[in-house]
Amino acid sequence: MIAATPQPPYYVVIFTSLRTEVDAGYAEAAQRMLELAAQQPGFLGVESARSDGLGITLSYWQSEEAIRAWREHAEHSAVREQGRADWYAAFATRVAKVERAYSFSRLS
């Protein structure tokens, strides 16, 4: 699903990852992080895709302060460390300011 974001400016966190073979607990943790992120002040939405071990998740935020608060959230920090230890062979996190956005949809 395409996230419904407001008019720019806003921010995007781009999380690109390569998974390991370890799967135990991953789906549950990912679902919990999505639910928890959605409860955070400044959260705007998320989009995610995975294919052949490569995953890309885009989370949208109102401000850099909201992103920082999410990064420092205790439960998110603990799951991030578990990801480093078990689920990810590699990952990159990038933060960008969205200054322009365009969309098209035939969907109602």
Side-chain angles (χ1 to χ4, degrees):
M1 175 157 265
I2 297 174
T5 52
Q7 290 297 311
Y10 53 88
Y11 292 84
V12 59
V13 175
I14 306 161
F15 180 73
T16 306
S17 63
L18 291 172
R19 291 282 313 275
T20 65
E21 297 296 321
V22 177
D23 203 42
Y26 179 81
E28 296 83 359
Q31 182 62 37
R32 173 65 182 150
M33 290 301 98
L34 180 58
E35 292 167 359
L36 191 58
Q39 297 171 13
Q40 302 310 300
F43 177 81
L44 299 174
V46 66
E47 298 165 343
S48 189
R50 180 166 293 284
S51 178
D52 298 326
L54 175 68
I56 300 173
T57 298
L58 308 170
S59 61
Y60 300 98
W61 301 86
Q62 288 178 338
S63 66
E64 289 186 276
E65 294 77 19
I67 294 167
R68 191 172 304 108
W70 172 238
R71 185 189 69 210
E72 295 171 359
H73 188 283
E75 190 173 346
H76 180 221
S77 294
V79 169
R80 186 172 53 244
E81 290 307 312
Q82 187 174 8
R84 285 184 173 137
D86 297 329
W87 300 315
Y88 298 117
F91 67 80
T93 302
R94 299 168 179 99
V95 178
K97 184 177 184 179
V98 177
E99 296 189 13
R100 285 183 303 283
Y102 309 94
S103 62
F104 167 81
S105 178
R106 290 179 197 253
L107 307 173
S108 51

